[in-house]
Amino acid sequence: MLAGFTAPATSWRYQIPSLIQSGHRVIAVDLPGHGTAPAMLPGTTMQTRAVVHAFIEQLDLQGAAMIGGSMGGSTIWSYVDTYGTGRLRAAVVVDQTPRMLNAPEWAYGFYGYDQEKVDTFFADGIPATGHGTPIWKRGMRLVRLLAAIGRVDRTLSPPELALLNDHAKRDWRSTLGASDLPVLFVAGSDSESWPSAHAAAAAAFAPNGSSTVVARAGHATNMERPHSFNRAVAEFLDSTS
């Protein structure tokens, strides 16, 4: 389980007990710059985040299912692109479009991010989009989110900002298309980041892709609507076992 950008492994707190009760062994990883791990080093890119390979090799995992939220989902594609799928049986990508940059032929990127802003849009962090449910209307969704990850407004370091910009410029659609790995793309219906139709569009690129949209959920889909999310993931993992 790979959390989103700078988020800790505790962001999966609503999934881990459910998965264990279903008989799965669960490993939630804090990569550098996340949770209790050391700070992110200069020069970190999406390609170097394939370092998750070291965990998989060290533990000699076989037939693993990788679950990634937001940038954690793109980290899965970085791993697959670099090391292949020999140790994997499935993947779940949570509210992460395979291409964040919008273009005339791709309308499923980050709201407002286009070629004219490719080098400036994420220069200072993740900008507000005006989409999604306002914070004051989220109720228990917000309570669950804060319980899972705590404060989210800390200042980003230069290596973190550089990684964010690298992440934003990536296009993983060819990696999706070249892999026969069963993958479930999950979208939040009220995502702050991009249209929920990105999940179906991504699944169309993957030979064994499927998608689902979790109703009344934002970008932090697994934290905001854990019961609906857990049910969808359980059904998908059962289908790949």
Side-chain angles (χ1 to χ4, degrees), residues 144-180:
R144 294 189 193 104
L145 174 64
L146 293 176
I149 64 174
R151 294 180 63 86
V152 295
D153 58 352
R154 69 178 182 82
T155 301
L156 298 175
S157 68
E160 289 169 343
L161 286 172
L163 174 63
L164 178 62
N165 276 277
D166 180 58
H167 169 51
K169 294 176 182 178
R170 297 285 180 151
D171 184 350
W172 300 106
R173 292 177 298 174
S174 61
T175 304
L176 270 62
S179 169
D180 61 358

PDB file of all heavy atoms in Angstrom, residues 144-180:
ATOM      1  N   ARG A 144     -12.736  11.834   9.081  1.00  0.00           N
ATOM      2  CA  ARG A 144     -11.983  10.615   8.772  1.00  0.00           C
ATOM      3  C   ARG A 144     -10.630  10.958   8.144  1.00  0.00           C
ATOM      4  O   ARG A 144      -9.609  10.332   8.458  1.00  0.00           O
ATOM      5  CB  ARG A 144     -12.790   9.733   7.808  1.00  0.00           C
ATOM      6  CG  ARG A 144     -14.063   9.165   8.390  1.00  0.00           C
ATOM      7  CD  ARG A 144     -14.666   8.139   7.448  1.00  0.00           C
ATOM      8  NE  ARG A 144     -16.026   7.785   7.814  1.00  0.00           N
ATOM      9  CZ  ARG A 144     -17.122   8.211   7.203  1.00  0.00           C
ATOM     10  NH1 ARG A 144     -17.011   9.016   6.150  1.00  0.00           N
ATOM     11  NH2 ARG A 144     -18.301   7.846   7.610  1.00  0.00           N
ATOM     12  N   LEU A 145     -10.623  11.939   7.250  1.00  0.00           N
ATOM     13  CA  LEU A 145      -9.380  12.333   6.589  1.00  0.00           C
ATOM     14  C   LEU A 145      -8.354  12.823   7.597  1.00  0.00           C
ATOM     15  O   LEU A 145      -7.196  12.391   7.590  1.00  0.00           O
ATOM     16  CB  LEU A 145      -9.678  13.416   5.550  1.00  0.00           C
ATOM     17  CG  LEU A 145      -8.475  14.063   4.851  1.00  0.00           C
ATOM     18  CD1 LEU A 145      -7.717  13.040   4.027  1.00  0.00           C
ATOM     19  CD2 LEU A 145      -8.931  15.228   3.972  1.00  0.00           C
ATOM     20  N   LEU A 146      -8.752  13.706   8.488  1.00  0.00           N
ATOM     21  CA  LEU A 146      -7.824  14.256   9.464  1.00  0.00           C
ATOM     22  C   LEU A 146      -7.365  13.194  10.453  1.00  0.00           C
ATOM     23  O   LEU A 146      -6.207  13.203  10.899  1.00  0.00           O
ATOM     24  CB  LEU A 146      -8.475  15.431  10.206  1.00  0.00           C
ATOM     25  CG  LEU A 146      -8.746  16.676   9.349  1.00  0.00           C
ATOM     26  CD1 LEU A 146      -9.477  17.735  10.169  1.00  0.00           C
ATOM     27  CD2 LEU A 146      -7.454  17.238   8.788  1.00  0.00           C
ATOM     28  N   ALA A 147      -8.240  12.257  10.791  1.00  0.00           N
ATOM     29  CA  ALA A 147      -7.859  11.174  11.703  1.00  0.00           C
ATOM     30  C   ALA A 147      -6.805  10.276  11.074  1.00  0.00           C
ATOM     31  O   ALA A 147      -5.964   9.696  11.767  1.00  0.00           O
ATOM     32  CB  ALA A 147      -9.089  10.354  12.085  1.00  0.00           C
ATOM     33  N   ALA A 148      -6.831  10.165   9.745  1.00  0.00           N
ATOM     34  CA  ALA A 148      -5.909   9.275   9.048  1.00  0.00           C
ATOM     35  C   ALA A 148      -4.549   9.915   8.770  1.00  0.00           C
ATOM     36  O   ALA A 148      -3.520   9.250   8.852  1.00  0.00           O
ATOM     37  CB  ALA A 148      -6.530   8.795   7.735  1.00  0.00           C
ATOM     38  N   ILE A 149      -4.534  11.192   8.440  1.00  0.00           N
ATOM     39  CA  ILE A 149      -3.260  11.805   8.037  1.00  0.00           C
ATOM     40  C   ILE A 149      -2.871  13.044   8.828  1.00  0.00           C
ATOM     41  O   ILE A 149      -1.758  13.543   8.674  1.00  0.00           O
ATOM     42  CB  ILE A 149      -3.252  12.156   6.534  1.00  0.00           C
ATOM     43  CG1 ILE A 149      -4.307  13.218   6.194  1.00  0.00           C
ATOM     44  CG2 ILE A 149      -3.455  10.928   5.694  1.00  0.00           C
ATOM     45  CD1 ILE A 149      -4.223  13.688   4.757  1.00  0.00           C
ATOM     46  N   GLY A 150      -3.741  13.548   9.683  1.00  0.00           N
ATOM     47  CA  GLY A 150      -3.394  14.722  10.473  1.00  0.00           C
ATOM     48  C   GLY A 150      -3.359  15.985   9.631  1.00  0.00           C
ATOM     49  O   GLY A 150      -4.054  16.104   8.622  1.00  0.00           O
ATOM     50  N   ARG A 151      -2.513  16.927  10.011  1.00  0.00           N
ATOM     51  CA  ARG A 151      -2.417  18.197   9.291  1.00  0.00           C
ATOM     52  C   ARG A 151      -1.840  17.980   7.896  1.00  0.00           C
ATOM     53  O   ARG A 151      -0.943  17.153   7.700  1.00  0.00           O
ATOM     54  CB  ARG A 151      -1.536  19.190  10.054  1.00  0.00           C
ATOM     55  CG  ARG A 151      -2.129  19.630  11.377  1.00  0.00           C
ATOM     56  CD  ARG A 151      -1.200  20.605  12.084  1.00  0.00           C
ATOM     57  NE  ARG A 151      -1.020  21.830  11.300  1.00  0.00           N
ATOM     58  CZ  ARG A 151      -1.829  22.879  11.356  1.00  0.00           C
ATOM     59  NH1 ARG A 151      -2.885  22.853  12.144  1.00  0.00           N
ATOM     60  NH2 ARG A 151      -1.592  23.954  10.637  1.00  0.00           N
ATOM     61  N   VAL A 152      -2.353  18.740   6.941  1.00  0.00           N
ATOM     62  CA  VAL A 152      -1.907  18.578   5.554  1.00  0.00           C
ATOM     63  C   VAL A 152      -1.395  19.890   4.954  1.00  0.00           C
ATOM     64  O   VAL A 152      -1.194  19.977   3.752  1.00  0.00           O
ATOM     65  CB  VAL A 152      -3.060  18.037   4.680  1.00  0.00           C
ATOM     66  CG1 VAL A 152      -3.433  16.640   5.117  1.00  0.00           C
ATOM     67  CG2 VAL A 152      -4.278  18.967   4.747  1.00  0.00           C
ATOM     68  N   ASP A 153      -1.136  20.887   5.781  1.00  0.00           N
ATOM     69  CA  ASP A 153      -0.791  22.214   5.258  1.00  0.00           C
ATOM     70  C   ASP A 153       0.664  22.591   5.526  1.00  0.00           C
ATOM     71  O   ASP A 153       1.020  23.762   5.539  1.00  0.00           O
ATOM     72  CB  ASP A 153      -1.719  23.275   5.845  1.00  0.00           C
ATOM     73  CG  ASP A 153      -1.665  23.317   7.375  1.00  0.00           C
ATOM     74  OD1 ASP A 153      -1.024  22.433   7.974  1.00  0.00           O
ATOM     75  OD2 ASP A 153      -2.271  24.243   7.962  1.00  0.00           O
ATOM     76  N   ARG A 154       1.549  21.603   5.740  1.00  0.00           N
ATOM     77  CA  ARG A 154       2.942  21.931   6.010  1.00  0.00           C
ATOM     78  C   ARG A 154       3.624  22.454   4.746  1.00  0.00           C
ATOM     79  O   ARG A 154       3.195  22.180   3.623  1.00  0.00           O
ATOM     80  CB  ARG A 154       3.690  20.711   6.550  1.00  0.00           C
ATOM     81  CG  ARG A 154       3.894  19.592   5.549  1.00  0.00           C
ATOM     82  CD  ARG A 154       4.691  18.455   6.196  1.00  0.00           C
ATOM     83  NE  ARG A 154       4.948  17.367   5.270  1.00  0.00           N
ATOM     84  CZ  ARG A 154       5.938  17.367   4.389  1.00  0.00           C
ATOM     85  NH1 ARG A 154       6.734  18.410   4.278  1.00  0.00           N
ATOM     86  NH2 ARG A 154       6.116  16.334   3.584  1.00  0.00           N
ATOM     87  N   THR A 155       4.710  23.198   4.923  1.00  0.00           N
ATOM     88  CA  THR A 155       5.475  23.729   3.800  1.00  0.00           C
ATOM     89  C   THR A 155       6.241  22.603   3.115  1.00  0.00           C
ATOM     90  O   THR A 155       6.877  21.782   3.776  1.00  0.00           O
ATOM     91  CB  THR A 155       6.459  24.806   4.287  1.00  0.00           C
ATOM     92  OG1 THR A 155       5.725  25.847   4.926  1.00  0.00           O
ATOM     93  CG2 THR A 155       7.255  25.368   3.118  1.00  0.00           C
ATOM     94  N   LEU A 156       6.177  22.570   1.802  1.00  0.00           N
ATOM     95  CA  LEU A 156       6.872  21.537   1.044  1.00  0.00           C
ATOM     96  C   LEU A 156       8.339  21.913   0.849  1.00  0.00           C
ATOM     97  O   LEU A 156       8.674  23.080   0.621  1.00  0.00           O
ATOM     98  CB  LEU A 156       6.206  21.344  -0.315  1.00  0.00           C
ATOM     99  CG  LEU A 156       4.749  20.862  -0.287  1.00  0.00           C
ATOM    100  CD1 LEU A 156       4.169  20.832  -1.697  1.00  0.00           C
ATOM    101  CD2 LEU A 156       4.643  19.481   0.353  1.00  0.00           C
ATOM    102  N   SER A 157       9.211  20.917   0.928  1.00  0.00           N
ATOM    103  CA  SER A 157      10.638  21.137   0.735  1.00  0.00           C
ATOM    104  C   SER A 157      10.956  21.229  -0.752  1.00  0.00           C
ATOM    105  O   SER A 157      10.162  20.794  -1.595  1.00  0.00           O
ATOM    106  CB  SER A 157      11.420  19.973   1.349  1.00  0.00           C
ATOM    107  OG  SER A 157      11.197  18.779   0.611  1.00  0.00           O
ATOM    108  N   PRO A 158      12.112  21.787  -1.116  1.00  0.00           N
ATOM    109  CA  PRO A 158      12.491  21.838  -2.542  1.00  0.00           C
ATOM    110  C   PRO A 158      12.479  20.464  -3.218  1.00  0.00           C
ATOM    111  O   PRO A 158      11.977  20.356  -4.348  1.00  0.00           O
ATOM    112  CB  PRO A 158      13.885  22.458  -2.509  1.00  0.00           C
ATOM    113  CG  PRO A 158      13.851  23.345  -1.302  1.00  0.00           C
ATOM    114  CD  PRO A 158      13.048  22.582  -0.282  1.00  0.00           C
ATOM    115  N   PRO A 159      13.000  19.391  -2.594  1.00  0.00           N
ATOM    116  CA  PRO A 159      12.908  18.082  -3.258  1.00  0.00           C
ATOM    117  C   PRO A 159      11.460  17.622  -3.467  1.00  0.00           C
ATOM    118  O   PRO A 159      11.150  16.993  -4.484  1.00  0.00           O
ATOM    119  CB  PRO A 159      13.657  17.145  -2.303  1.00  0.00           C
ATOM    120  CG  PRO A 159      14.596  18.030  -1.570  1.00  0.00           C
ATOM    121  CD  PRO A 159      13.851  19.310  -1.383  1.00  0.00           C
ATOM    122  N   GLU A 160      10.580  17.943  -2.519  1.00  0.00           N
ATOM    123  CA  GLU A 160       9.177  17.565  -2.660  1.00  0.00           C
ATOM    124  C   GLU A 160       8.510  18.332  -3.798  1.00  0.00           C
ATOM    125  O   GLU A 160       7.750  17.758  -4.589  1.00  0.00           O
ATOM    126  CB  GLU A 160       8.441  17.797  -1.342  1.00  0.00           C
ATOM    127  CG  GLU A 160       8.845  16.812  -0.262  1.00  0.00           C
ATOM    128  CD  GLU A 160       8.339  17.182   1.113  1.00  0.00           C
ATOM    129  OE1 GLU A 160       7.934  18.348   1.325  1.00  0.00           O
ATOM    130  OE2 GLU A 160       8.366  16.314   2.011  1.00  0.00           O
ATOM    131  N   LEU A 161       8.808  19.620  -3.908  1.00  0.00           N
ATOM    132  CA  LEU A 161       8.247  20.411  -5.005  1.00  0.00           C
ATOM    133  C   LEU A 161       8.772  19.918  -6.353  1.00  0.00           C
ATOM    134  O   LEU A 161       8.023  19.864  -7.333  1.00  0.00           O
ATOM    135  CB  LEU A 161       8.592  21.886  -4.814  1.00  0.00           C
ATOM    136  CG  LEU A 161       7.821  22.625  -3.716  1.00  0.00           C
ATOM    137  CD1 LEU A 161       8.399  24.011  -3.500  1.00  0.00           C
ATOM    138  CD2 LEU A 161       6.335  22.714  -4.063  1.00  0.00           C
ATOM    139  N   ALA A 162      10.043  19.552  -6.401  1.00  0.00           N
ATOM    140  CA  ALA A 162      10.611  19.032  -7.652  1.00  0.00           C
ATOM    141  C   ALA A 162       9.947  17.723  -8.046  1.00  0.00           C
ATOM    142  O   ALA A 162       9.644  17.492  -9.225  1.00  0.00           O
ATOM    143  CB  ALA A 162      12.119  18.842  -7.503  1.00  0.00           C
ATOM    144  N   LEU A 163       9.687  16.858  -7.059  1.00  0.00           N
ATOM    145  CA  LEU A 163       9.002  15.597  -7.347  1.00  0.00           C
ATOM    146  C   LEU A 163       7.577  15.853  -7.819  1.00  0.00           C
ATOM    147  O   LEU A 163       7.107  15.216  -8.769  1.00  0.00           O
ATOM    148  CB  LEU A 163       8.978  14.709  -6.103  1.00  0.00           C
ATOM    149  CG  LEU A 163       8.161  13.418  -6.233  1.00  0.00           C
ATOM    150  CD1 LEU A 163       8.744  12.505  -7.315  1.00  0.00           C
ATOM    151  CD2 LEU A 163       8.074  12.695  -4.891  1.00  0.00           C
ATOM    152  N   LEU A 164       6.889  16.796  -7.181  1.00  0.00           N
ATOM    153  CA  LEU A 164       5.522  17.121  -7.583  1.00  0.00           C
ATOM    154  C   LEU A 164       5.477  17.563  -9.039  1.00  0.00           C
ATOM    155  O   LEU A 164       4.596  17.141  -9.804  1.00  0.00           O
ATOM    156  CB  LEU A 164       4.960  18.217  -6.673  1.00  0.00           C
ATOM    157  CG  LEU A 164       3.551  18.709  -6.984  1.00  0.00           C
ATOM    158  CD1 LEU A 164       2.536  17.588  -6.839  1.00  0.00           C
ATOM    159  CD2 LEU A 164       3.192  19.879  -6.058  1.00  0.00           C
ATOM    160  N   ASN A 165       6.415  18.396  -9.444  1.00  0.00           N
ATOM    161  CA  ASN A 165       6.456  18.859 -10.830  1.00  0.00           C
ATOM    162  C   ASN A 165       6.769  17.718 -11.793  1.00  0.00           C
ATOM    163  O   ASN A 165       6.180  17.630 -12.875  1.00  0.00           O
ATOM    164  CB  ASN A 165       7.478  19.987 -10.976  1.00  0.00           C
ATOM    165  CG  ASN A 165       6.919  21.341 -10.614  1.00  0.00           C
ATOM    166  OD1 ASN A 165       6.278  21.990 -11.424  1.00  0.00           O
ATOM    167  ND2 ASN A 165       7.134  21.769  -9.382  1.00  0.00           N
ATOM    168  N   ASP A 166       7.661  16.839 -11.395  1.00  0.00           N
ATOM    169  CA  ASP A 166       7.982  15.678 -12.233  1.00  0.00           C
ATOM    170  C   ASP A 166       6.755  14.764 -12.368  1.00  0.00           C
ATOM    171  O   ASP A 166       6.434  14.293 -13.470  1.00  0.00           O
ATOM    172  CB  ASP A 166       9.150  14.915 -11.624  1.00  0.00           C
ATOM    173  CG  ASP A 166       9.532  13.692 -12.445  1.00  0.00           C
ATOM    174  OD1 ASP A 166       9.858  13.849 -13.637  1.00  0.00           O
ATOM    175  OD2 ASP A 166       9.500  12.574 -11.896  1.00  0.00           O
ATOM    176  N   HIS A 167       6.104  14.541 -11.265  1.00  0.00           N
ATOM    177  CA  HIS A 167       4.877  13.732 -11.240  1.00  0.00           C
ATOM    178  C   HIS A 167       3.829  14.300 -12.200  1.00  0.00           C
ATOM    179  O   HIS A 167       3.198  13.561 -12.970  1.00  0.00           O
ATOM    180  CB  HIS A 167       4.356  13.717  -9.802  1.00  0.00           C
ATOM    181  CG  HIS A 167       2.992  13.166  -9.606  1.00  0.00           C
ATOM    182  ND1 HIS A 167       2.586  11.940 -10.091  1.00  0.00           N
ATOM    183  CD2 HIS A 167       1.913  13.673  -8.943  1.00  0.00           C
ATOM    184  CE1 HIS A 167       1.333  11.705  -9.723  1.00  0.00           C
ATOM    185  NE2 HIS A 167       0.912  12.753  -9.044  1.00  0.00           N
ATOM    186  N   ALA A 168       3.658  15.615 -12.152  1.00  0.00           N
ATOM    187  CA  ALA A 168       2.618  16.262 -12.955  1.00  0.00           C
ATOM    188  C   ALA A 168       2.866  16.136 -14.455  1.00  0.00           C
ATOM    189  O   ALA A 168       1.919  16.137 -15.247  1.00  0.00           O
ATOM    190  CB  ALA A 168       2.506  17.729 -12.566  1.00  0.00           C
ATOM    191  N   LYS A 169       4.128  16.027 -14.855  1.00  0.00           N
ATOM    192  CA  LYS A 169       4.455  15.985 -16.276  1.00  0.00           C
ATOM    193  C   LYS A 169       4.450  14.569 -16.859  1.00  0.00           C
ATOM    194  O   LYS A 169       4.606  14.402 -18.069  1.00  0.00           O
ATOM    195  CB  LYS A 169       5.829  16.613 -16.499  1.00  0.00           C
ATOM    196  CG  LYS A 169       5.870  18.105 -16.180  1.00  0.00           C
ATOM    197  CD  LYS A 169       7.287  18.655 -16.314  1.00  0.00           C
ATOM    198  CE  LYS A 169       7.326  20.132 -15.955  1.00  0.00           C
ATOM    199  NZ  LYS A 169       8.702  20.681 -16.031  1.00  0.00           N
ATOM    200  N   ARG A 170       4.286  13.570 -16.034  1.00  0.00           N
ATOM    201  CA  ARG A 170       4.357  12.181 -16.511  1.00  0.00           C
ATOM    202  C   ARG A 170       3.096  11.765 -17.254  1.00  0.00           C
ATOM    203  O   ARG A 170       1.996  12.236 -16.976  1.00  0.00           O
ATOM    204  CB  ARG A 170       4.593  11.231 -15.341  1.00  0.00           C
ATOM    205  CG  ARG A 170       5.912  11.447 -14.621  1.00  0.00           C
ATOM    206  CD  ARG A 170       7.068  10.916 -15.431  1.00  0.00           C
ATOM    207  NE  ARG A 170       8.350  11.108 -14.740  1.00  0.00           N
ATOM    208  CZ  ARG A 170       9.392  10.317 -14.887  1.00  0.00           C
ATOM    209  NH1 ARG A 170       9.319   9.259 -15.684  1.00  0.00           N
ATOM    210  NH2 ARG A 170      10.525  10.571 -14.246  1.00  0.00           N
ATOM    211  N   ASP A 171       3.276  10.829 -18.162  1.00  0.00           N
ATOM    212  CA  ASP A 171       2.167  10.225 -18.905  1.00  0.00           C
ATOM    213  C   ASP A 171       2.381   8.711 -18.867  1.00  0.00           C
ATOM    214  O   ASP A 171       3.292   8.188 -19.511  1.00  0.00           O
ATOM    215  CB  ASP A 171       2.157  10.740 -20.346  1.00  0.00           C
ATOM    216  CG  ASP A 171       0.958  10.221 -21.138  1.00  0.00           C
ATOM    217  OD1 ASP A 171       0.236   9.320 -20.647  1.00  0.00           O
ATOM    218  OD2 ASP A 171       0.750  10.712 -22.266  1.00  0.00           O
ATOM    219  N   TRP A 172       1.550   8.023 -18.100  1.00  0.00           N
ATOM    220  CA  TRP A 172       1.720   6.591 -17.890  1.00  0.00           C
ATOM    221  C   TRP A 172       0.812   5.754 -18.781  1.00  0.00           C
ATOM    222  O   TRP A 172       0.736   4.526 -18.613  1.00  0.00           O
ATOM    223  CB  TRP A 172       1.443   6.247 -16.414  1.00  0.00           C
ATOM    224  CG  TRP A 172       2.341   6.946 -15.466  1.00  0.00           C
ATOM    225  CD1 TRP A 172       2.025   7.999 -14.654  1.00  0.00           C
ATOM    226  CD2 TRP A 172       3.730   6.676 -15.220  1.00  0.00           C
ATOM    227  NE1 TRP A 172       3.120   8.391 -13.921  1.00  0.00           N
ATOM    228  CE2 TRP A 172       4.182   7.593 -14.250  1.00  0.00           C
ATOM    229  CE3 TRP A 172       4.635   5.730 -15.738  1.00  0.00           C
ATOM    230  CZ2 TRP A 172       5.495   7.602 -13.784  1.00  0.00           C
ATOM    231  CZ3 TRP A 172       5.942   5.742 -15.267  1.00  0.00           C
ATOM    232  CH2 TRP A 172       6.358   6.670 -14.304  1.00  0.00           C
ATOM    233  N   ARG A 173       0.163   6.362 -19.743  1.00  0.00           N
ATOM    234  CA  ARG A 173      -0.812   5.610 -20.547  1.00  0.00           C
ATOM    235  C   ARG A 173      -0.165   4.488 -21.353  1.00  0.00           C
ATOM    236  O   ARG A 173      -0.754   3.411 -21.495  1.00  0.00           O
ATOM    237  CB  ARG A 173      -1.580   6.569 -21.464  1.00  0.00           C
ATOM    238  CG  ARG A 173      -2.500   7.513 -20.695  1.00  0.00           C
ATOM    239  CD  ARG A 173      -3.199   8.501 -21.603  1.00  0.00           C
ATOM    240  NE  ARG A 173      -2.229   9.366 -22.277  1.00  0.00           N
ATOM    241  CZ  ARG A 173      -2.555  10.248 -23.216  1.00  0.00           C
ATOM    242  NH1 ARG A 173      -3.818  10.378 -23.603  1.00  0.00           N
ATOM    243  NH2 ARG A 173      -1.625  11.010 -23.771  1.00  0.00           N
ATOM    244  N   SER A 174       1.035   4.707 -21.856  1.00  0.00           N
ATOM    245  CA  SER A 174       1.691   3.638 -22.616  1.00  0.00           C
ATOM    246  C   SER A 174       2.071   2.480 -21.699  1.00  0.00           C
ATOM    247  O   SER A 174       2.044   1.312 -22.112  1.00  0.00           O
ATOM    248  CB  SER A 174       2.929   4.171 -23.343  1.00  0.00           C
ATOM    249  OG  SER A 174       3.883   4.677 -22.421  1.00  0.00           O
ATOM    250  N   THR A 175       2.430   2.784 -20.450  1.00  0.00           N
ATOM    251  CA  THR A 175       2.739   1.728 -19.485  1.00  0.00           C
ATOM    252  C   THR A 175       1.489   0.907 -19.191  1.00  0.00           C
ATOM    253  O   THR A 175       1.551  -0.329 -19.111  1.00  0.00           O
ATOM    254  CB  THR A 175       3.302   2.320 -18.178  1.00  0.00           C
ATOM    255  OG1 THR A 175       4.450   3.117 -18.480  1.00  0.00           O
ATOM    256  CG2 THR A 175       3.683   1.230 -17.200  1.00  0.00           C
ATOM    257  N   LEU A 176       0.359   1.585 -19.037  1.00  0.00           N
ATOM    258  CA  LEU A 176      -0.911   0.873 -18.843  1.00  0.00           C
ATOM    259  C   LEU A 176      -1.179  -0.064 -20.012  1.00  0.00           C
ATOM    260  O   LEU A 176      -1.536  -1.231 -19.827  1.00  0.00           O
ATOM    261  CB  LEU A 176      -2.066   1.863 -18.738  1.00  0.00           C
ATOM    262  CG  LEU A 176      -2.463   2.414 -17.382  1.00  0.00           C
ATOM    263  CD1 LEU A 176      -1.341   3.205 -16.747  1.00  0.00           C
ATOM    264  CD2 LEU A 176      -3.710   3.287 -17.520  1.00  0.00           C
ATOM    265  N   GLY A 177      -1.002   0.460 -21.201  1.00  0.00           N
ATOM    266  CA  GLY A 177      -1.342  -0.306 -22.391  1.00  0.00           C
ATOM    267  C   GLY A 177      -0.438  -1.498 -22.629  1.00  0.00           C
ATOM    268  O   GLY A 177      -0.856  -2.476 -23.262  1.00  0.00           O
ATOM    269  N   ALA A 178       0.786  -1.435 -22.111  1.00  0.00           N
ATOM    270  CA  ALA A 178       1.742  -2.514 -22.347  1.00  0.00           C
ATOM    271  C   ALA A 178       1.680  -3.605 -21.290  1.00  0.00           C
ATOM    272  O   ALA A 178       2.365  -4.621 -21.401  1.00  0.00           O
ATOM    273  CB  ALA A 178       3.159  -1.945 -22.394  1.00  0.00           C
ATOM    274  N   SER A 179       0.872  -3.422 -20.260  1.00  0.00           N
ATOM    275  CA  SER A 179       0.813  -4.378 -19.153  1.00  0.00           C
ATOM    276  C   SER A 179      -0.523  -5.111 -19.148  1.00  0.00           C
ATOM    277  O   SER A 179      -1.583  -4.489 -19.310  1.00  0.00           O
ATOM    278  CB  SER A 179       0.992  -3.646 -17.815  1.00  0.00           C
ATOM    279  OG  SER A 179       0.697  -4.493 -16.740  1.00  0.00           O
ATOM    280  N   ASP A 180      -0.471  -6.428 -18.931  1.00  0.00           N
ATOM    281  CA  ASP A 180      -1.707  -7.195 -18.823  1.00  0.00           C
ATOM    282  C   ASP A 180      -2.105  -7.400 -17.364  1.00  0.00           C
ATOM    283  O   ASP A 180      -2.953  -8.234 -17.037  1.00  0.00           O
ATOM    284  CB  ASP A 180      -1.578  -8.550 -19.526  1.00  0.00           C
ATOM    285  CG  ASP A 180      -0.476  -9.418 -18.925  1.00  0.00           C
ATOM    286  OD1 ASP A 180       0.214  -8.945 -17.993  1.00  0.00           O
ATOM    287  OD2 ASP A 180      -0.308 -10.567 -19.392  1.00  0.00           O
TER     288      ASP A 180
END
